[in-house]
Structure formats: C-alpha cells, structure tokens
Amino acid sequence: MNVESWSMDGKRIGLIGASCRAMAASLVAGGTSVAVADMFADFDTCRIAEATPLKRYPWSAPAWLGKASVDAWCYTGGLENYPRLISRMSRACPLLGNQAETLRQVRDPFRLAEWARKHDFQFPEVARDASSDSSGRWLLKPLRSAGGLNIQHSTSADFSSCRFYRQRFADGVPMSISVLSTPDQWQLVGACQLHVGSDWGTPTEFLFAGATTLPLARLEALPELEAIVAALHQESGLLGLWGIDVVMADGPIVLEVNPRWTATMPLYERNLATRLMPRHIAACGDATFDRLPTSANGTSGLRILYAQRPVRCTAEHLTELSARFDLSTEASLAQPSIADIPNVGTEIEVGHPICSLYADGADEAEVERSLADQVTAVQRILQ
C-alpha cells in the first residue's frame, strides 16, 4: 500500500527496527503519538513511547504490526535486509519509507557496481566467489547486515555466496552522508566521520562505534558527493531519510546505501536544531519539502559503549546514572547525554552494546574529550 499524501494530525505511527529510541524521540518531541517494537524496549524508550521488545526480531514484526493499532509505520536498521517481509507488512499497513523493490536495488552490491560504472563514481570491485582476482586485500561481507556486523577479511575461498559477497578493501577515512528526498527533489542533511573498530572500543574491526559531524561547506569533495547522491536518487527513487557510507581517499568511494533512518541522524538534529522524522514522513507523502537549514551549530558526537566484561543492570545503576546524567523524560526528548539505557535486570554479554553517549561542542576535539569523560563515568558506574 503506497502513501501518496500523508498528514500526521491525529495519527499514530509504528516504528520497527533493531533500536527505535532515536526515531521515537524525533517524533514524540513534535507531538506525534508512536508505538515502538524493537529488540530492546530500553529504559528511556519506554519513558517516551509505548515500547514492545521483539523476541524473534524481525520475524515477529508482522504480528506486532497487526495488533499495534497504528495508522502507518516506519522501519530502521536491519529491517531493510528483509524486503519480502517489508512487502508483506506494507500490504497490511501503510509504509512511510522505501518499498521492497527499492530495497532490492540499493542493497544489492552488484547493482551499485553497475550504477557506479554508469555514472562514473568510485565503488570497490565486488565478487560473488573467490574465483576472481585474489590479489590485494578483500573483505567478506554479509548480504544481510548493518553497522558493520560480521564483516571480516577474506582469507578463505570457502564461503556461502548466498549469504556473503567479496568486496575489495578500500583504504581511507570512513564517512556517512545523510539525505532527505522525495521523488522530485533531494537535499544533503549532513556528513559525519565514522568511528569504527577496536580503536574505539568495539569487539571487532569493522563494527560501528560512533561518529562526529563535519560541516558540509568545508568538504572538498562536496561536488562529488552531490553527484553521487543525484545518481543514486535518479536510479532508485529513494524516499525520505537515507544514508550512504563512503570511504574518503582521493575522492569518495561508495561502500553501501542505508535506505532508512541511520544512527548518525540524531547528531544532525542536535546540530540543526530541528526534528528530522516529521520531515521524513512529509517527504514520503509529498512531492516537495521545506529545505533544511544549511548552517550547523558547532559539532556533535556519538559513542556506542560496548561491554568489556559481563554487565547486569540494577536499580542502583540507574540511580547512579541519573545522578550523573539526567534520565528524565524531558531530557530524553531534548538532547540526551546518555541514551539506549538497559532496563533493570538486563544482562549484557562481553562485546555487546551497553548504551549510546552524545556530546556537543565547538569542535571535534572538545566533543571527543566530553565523550571520553562520559565513557569513563559510565564504566565506573556499570563495570
């Protein structure tokens, strides 16, 4: 079921994904009623919305949607890897986001390689098996993944081509570009430098650990990035909010497209002092949208804190976190310093994410100092 025109007035929106807290905050702060179904139903998510943990994510999502009494729904991280599931759910309830056919195109690395050749932008060589040129460094990447999960160096010719593909390693600075679009127009929302791997406290080399915003106006490669966005928009018809992961070397090298709300988007909300999810919903229903502000206020950063040893969250932990960080509903909706907080009794294994930390400052150095202080504080409390 396609949404040709949509107004949020009096409507209730369902949100589904691995973690929906930030999307929910973006909508609730603007007065929209939401219901959330994700893997965690974290403490602060429950503070701001009706939240349900999906025990068999994503396969239990259709049943939840059928009972949730929502007028439309949106998805975020992970669900884009299941276009058949999304197609089934969109027939049952209007989807405010990219439909299954669009997902099949933009999540196909071999389709992206075709578009790169056609529009003359950089995209690493990809292969379905190990029979291609084996020289140089290659990565083994899952066809269904998000956040850098299960990416590894390709050291063996023995792998399942129905679950993985090979991509030639591209060296450079990892970045994320966010976009807002309708069928007829698009606008860059912002850019971030990504923090990836064990240097940032993750258990594996390519796992997402956070990001800091970069001023669009200062990007030397801005014209190239705009040309890439225009090409992808032309070929795919992407709607609403979406992102592109790139590596910046002698120019931007596209790695993949994320056709939904991404983890870096709350940073732009802090920078631009505006809510993005209402704009996403408007863009999915209309041919035009009001352009976003172009000047950002300072720099914002995100850090995902991963467990270095097993953690069991207690009521005492929440009391101490509240003394260090404001855990009120108002703070969760405004500009939280800590978010995605586990509920009392939650047991977190080594290498699993504990929470998200945010900071704002005049520049990247100030933001990183603040995030480091917050990491130390949370580790002292929880670990």
Side-chain angles (χ1 to χ4, degrees):
M1 186 182 300
N2 293 321
V3 178
E4 296 179 355
S5 182
W6 184 263
S7 169
M8 288 193 295
D9 294 344
K11 299 296 197 304
R12 190 169 190 243
I13 307 299
L15 305 176
I16 306 174
S19 177
C20 296
R21 185 269 319 162
M23 290 175 72
S26 185
L27 285 171
V28 172
T32 301
S33 174
V34 303
V36 170
D38 66 17
M39 293 177 66
F40 308 103
D42 283 325
F43 172 82
D44 45 338
T45 308
C46 293
R47 280 283 182 94
I48 63 176
E50 176 188 317
T52 302
L54 293 180
K55 299 300 185 184
R56 294 179 55 252
Y57 177 82
W59 309 115
S60 53
W64 175 85
L65 185 63
K67 297 183 292 186
S69 298
V70 296
D71 298 289
W73 66 287
C74 307
Y75 60 82
T76 185
L79 209 61
E80 71 274 11
N81 293 310
Y82 302 91
R84 291 178 64 184
L85 195 65
I86 285 176
S87 179
R88 172 185 165 193
M89 294 165 66
S90 66
R91 289 193 295 270
C93 184
L95 168 62
L96 295 164
N98 289 295
Q99 297 284 343
E101 183 53 38
T102 300
L103 301 183
R104 291 188 180 98
Q105 295 186 70
V106 300
R107 296 297 292 170
D108 181 349
F110 302 96
R111 180 67 61 88
L112 289 179
E114 292 176 8
W115 292 346
R117 289 189 291 270
K118 178 178 177 180
H119 294 278
D120 195 28
F121 62 81
Q122 295 187 73
F123 184 77
E125 181 184 357
V126 288
R128 299 183 188 276
D129 54 41
S131 62
S132 60
D133 177 16
S134 60
S135 62
R137 298 170 66 186
W138 289 79
L139 299 178
L140 196 60
K141 301 182 72 171
L143 288 164
R144 290 181 176 177
S145 184
L149 281 169
N150 299 318
I151 298 175
Q152 57 188 289
H153 290 282
S154 179
T155 57
S156 171
D158 184 19
F159 68 90
S160 169
S161 60
C162 66
R163 295 179 54 225
F164 293 87
Y165 69 99
R166 296 171 76 224
Q167 184 178 67
R168 193 177 289 278
F169 178 79
D171 198 11
V173 178
M175 291 179 56
S176 172
I177 309 299
S178 293
V179 185
L180 177 67
S181 66
T182 71
D184 300 323
Q185 67 178 133
W186 57 266
Q187 180 185 2
L188 291 183
V189 175
C192 279
Q193 180 171 333
L194 300 179
H195 302 155
V196 177
S198 55
D199 287 347
W200 301 94
T202 72
T204 59
E205 184 176 354
F206 300 103
L207 196 58
F208 175 73
T212 52
T213 57
L214 300 169
L216 281 173
R218 298 182 189 174
L219 294 179
E220 292 183 5
L222 184 58
E224 294 173 83
L225 291 169
E226 290 176 330
I228 290 170
V229 170
L232 293 173
H233 182 256
Q234 173 189 327
E235 293 290 348
S236 66
L238 281 158
L239 285 177
L241 291 165
W242 50 283
I244 311 170
D245 288 343
V246 304
V247 164
M248 196 63 67
D250 58 342
I253 305 170
V254 175
L255 297 181
E256 65 179 34
V257 174
N258 299 303
R260 37 72 180 173
W261 171 278
T262 71
T264 60
M265 288 177 182
L267 300 180
Y268 307 128
E269 293 195 325
R270 301 168 82 99
N271 270 185
L272 302 173
T274 189
R275 296 294 176 178
L276 293 178
M277 275 302 296
R279 292 174 181 268
H280 167 84
I281 289 174
C284 289
D286 297 315
T288 61
F289 56 78
D290 294 331
R291 294 189 70 80
L292 287 158
T294 56
S295 58
N297 301 313
T299 301
S300 295
L302 160 67
R303 180 70 52 79
I304 309 298
L305 180 61
Y306 290 87
Q308 304 299 313
R309 64 182 180 84
V311 175
R312 185 179 188 277
C313 189
T314 67
E316 290 75 17
H317 287 149
L318 286 182
T319 299
E320 292 187 56
L321 287 172
S322 192
R324 174 62 173 80
F325 307 92
D326 185 358
L327 303 187
S328 67
T329 299
E330 293 75 16
S332 297
L333 289 174
Q335 292 195 171
S337 297
I338 185 171
D340 307 313
I341 303 162
N343 290 300
V344 171
T346 300
E347 297 186 356
I348 303 168
E349 299 176 18
V350 173
H352 287 211
I354 298 174
C355 63
S356 304
L357 299 168
Y358 295 93
D360 309 294
D363 54 32
E364 185 176 354
E366 183 178 342
V367 167
E368 286 305 317
R369 286 193 297 270
S370 180
L371 287 173
D373 290 343
Q374 290 168 220
V375 166
T376 300
V378 176
Q379 288 176 332
R380 185 179 297 122
I381 292 169
L382 292 184
Q383 300 189 307

